Amino acid sequence: ETGGHYEGLRSISLVPGTGMLVNGDSKQHNLLPRFPSVDNGGLKRGFSAGAGAITHHHNFTWMVEHDLEAGDEVFVDYGPGWFQERGFADTSTPKKWDVDFLRQHGYCLDNVVPGASLLEGAGRGAFASRDIHAGTIIAPVPVIALSKGSLETMKERTDGTVVKSEQLLKNYCYGHPDSDLLLYPYSHGINLVNHHSTKSNVKLRWWNDSSPYFNRTLLELQQSSRLMFELVATNPIKKGDEIYMDYGDEWDNAWQNHMESWRPDPNNFHVSAETMNNND
């Protein structure tokens, strides 16, 4: 369970990292899901300008079901009906990759570890698990193509008025103001990289094999795509340093405007389910 079903009557959870990088096999899976951690990341509603910008459910972990050898491909169970709904076979042929091939062509997924961000109001952040040289690929960043309209929702208030809102997922997408296209990155740790315009130490660059997809339509990208960025260190990064990326002037200006207009609301006293459970 991801915990997302506690957030509303109808909810769908995304589990970036292992949950989305691993292929599915209902009969030969070797990873089992566990449970997420639940907290507000230090952002209290009514007292922090960043409250509501992050999910309370995080650190969803997986357990190896049986012994694996180096080079074994890992699989999860996508659940009943997933393959049938899409017209796919529900089993795969397990593959054992040559370790030397993986070292040469694969990507390291453990350069980034989560932690409490050093930035006020940011909640969680990404930190280097080892010393990283400038120019090193820190992580692969595969993306899923979405439309901006697909993340819009209509909410009816208690007084009967209807307001348009946007799903939390949009906070984690890349996009352009003149395009309806959004790209959701789902690799390990990438969604924890916070913005810093002057201390940024990483950048995104396109993976070489992505170029054939640049002129595809949104529908074509959703049906078949190998769009991927690479997260690259622009400066030497020491073990334990927080990883920052410059989100751009538009994002920076929007955040500054939000900070200037936001005011604490001591009357908005909210006790989270996590706090009530811990005090029970």
Side-chain angles (χ1 to χ4, degrees):
E1 296 181 353
T2 64
H5 58 290
Y6 296 117
E7 299 298 320
L9 296 177
R10 297 175 60 189
S11 61
I12 298 176
S13 298
L14 284 177
V15 187
T18 301
M20 295 180 71
L21 290 172
V22 176
N23 289 315
D25 191 313
S26 60
K27 299 178 181 178
Q28 302 181 84
H29 53 84
N30 45 32
L31 289 184
L32 292 175
R34 303 192 73 184
F35 301 97
S37 302
V38 184
D39 60 65
N40 61 16
L43 307 180
K44 295 183 178 181
R45 187 185 302 180
F47 297 90
S48 173
I54 65 172
T55 174
H56 285 200
H57 299 85
H58 66 105
N59 196 35
F60 191 88
T61 55
W62 300 83
M63 179 176 65
V64 177
E65 193 170 359
H66 55 75
D67 292 346
L68 298 176
E69 298 179 352
D72 285 344
E73 186 168 359
V74 292
F75 293 96
V76 297
D77 185 0
Y78 282 177
W82 192 94
F83 289 98
Q84 289 81 355
E85 291 172 1
R86 294 160 176 78
F88 301 146
D90 64 352
T91 186
S92 305
T93 302
K95 186 166 185 176
K96 190 178 185 68
W97 292 86
D98 180 75
V99 175
D100 290 334
F101 176 88
L102 292 176
R103 289 195 177 107
Q104 183 176 356
H105 300 284
Y107 289 88
C108 184
L109 293 176
D110 66 350
N111 285 321
V112 177
V113 293
S117 177
L118 303 177
L119 299 176
E120 183 179 357
R124 306 180 192 100
F127 294 81
S129 63
R130 56 175 60 89
D131 291 347
I132 300 173
H133 298 293
T136 299
I137 299 174
I138 297 177
V141 189
V143 292
I144 292 176
L146 303 168
S147 68
K148 290 181 180 178
S150 68
L151 299 184
E152 294 179 352
T153 60
M154 306 301 292
K155 293 183 177 180
E156 183 176 358
R157 292 174 169 171
T158 55
D159 61 2
T161 59
V162 178
V163 294
K164 184 170 71 172
S165 182
E166 294 174 326
Q167 295 187 42
L168 178 63
L169 180 64
K170 189 176 181 181
N171 284 350
Y172 298 92
C173 292
Y174 306 136
H176 189 279
D178 297 330
S179 173
D180 187 53
L181 176 66
L182 293 175
L183 298 175
Y184 173 73
Y186 58 90
S187 185
H188 169 70
I190 186 65
N191 293 307
L192 295 171
V193 177
N194 287 311
H195 164 75
H196 205 300
S197 58
T198 60
K199 294 184 179 180
S200 62
N201 47 23
V202 298
K203 67 177 183 179
L204 291 173
R205 73 181 182 197
W206 283 108
W207 177 47
N208 289 336
D209 289 359
S210 292
S211 57
Y213 296 88
F214 287 169
N215 294 318
R216 302 286 179 89
T217 66
L218 174 60
L219 180 59
E220 288 173 332
L221 291 175
Q222 290 175 331
Q223 291 175 337
S224 177
S225 173
R226 297 183 70 191
L227 282 179
M228 189 173 84
F229 294 102
E230 293 171 330
L231 188 69
V232 182
T234 56
N235 303 308
I237 303 174
K238 293 292 186 182
K239 179 180 178 179
D241 284 353
E242 185 163 6
I243 298 173
Y244 299 119
M245 181 167 58
D246 188 351
Y247 289 3
D249 292 340
E250 183 179 6
W251 191 96
D252 199 32
N253 292 334
W255 176 252
Q256 292 303 323
N257 290 336
H258 172 67
M259 290 291 292
E260 291 173 3
S261 61
W262 182 86
R263 295 292 182 272
D265 182 8
N267 295 320
N268 185 3
F269 184 73
H270 171 76
V271 181
S272 68
E274 172 213 3
T275 299
M276 288 190 286
N277 288 334
N278 290 337
N279 292 336
D280 188 14

